[in-house]
Amino acid sequence: AESGVRNRIDLSGAANGPAYIDIVPHQGATLMVGRFAGVIIDGVVPKIMGAKRFAINHLLAERGALGFPFPKGTGWSGLLKRVEAG
């Protein structure tokens, strides 16, 4: 959208490659969309835990619900609150 913002993130580590977060005003709220653009899962951590567990942990992290030692209220929901607060 013309009024939105696209942020490119170059991942490195357990996942490598470009990703994007689009932040767009939508019906009185803020819509955030994340997408990978050629990201390759690589490294020791995904190999140890396996692709399925890595994907589950990734989704939990996005929700801010990964658990110890990671703080609650982070991930997409925490980021969205900070964006809306200005």
Side-chain angles (χ1 to χ4, degrees), residues 8-77:
R8 180 180 169 140
I9 303 166
D10 292 308
L11 302 174
S12 64
N16 298 293
Y20 297 90
I21 299 175
D22 295 338
I23 302 171
V24 183
H26 181 71
Q27 299 178 353
T30 305
L31 177 66
M32 295 179 66
V33 179
R35 70 179 178 92
F36 295 132
V39 171
I40 297 170
I41 296 173
D42 192 18
V44 174
V45 174
K47 289 178 183 173
I48 291 172
M49 70 175 57
K52 182 176 179 178
R53 182 76 248 172
F54 184 77
I56 290 168
N57 284 357
H58 176 82
L59 294 172
L60 288 170
E62 284 184 354
R63 284 196 325 212
L66 189 53
F68 181 81
F70 303 98
K72 292 184 180 200
T74 57
W76 286 106
S77 59

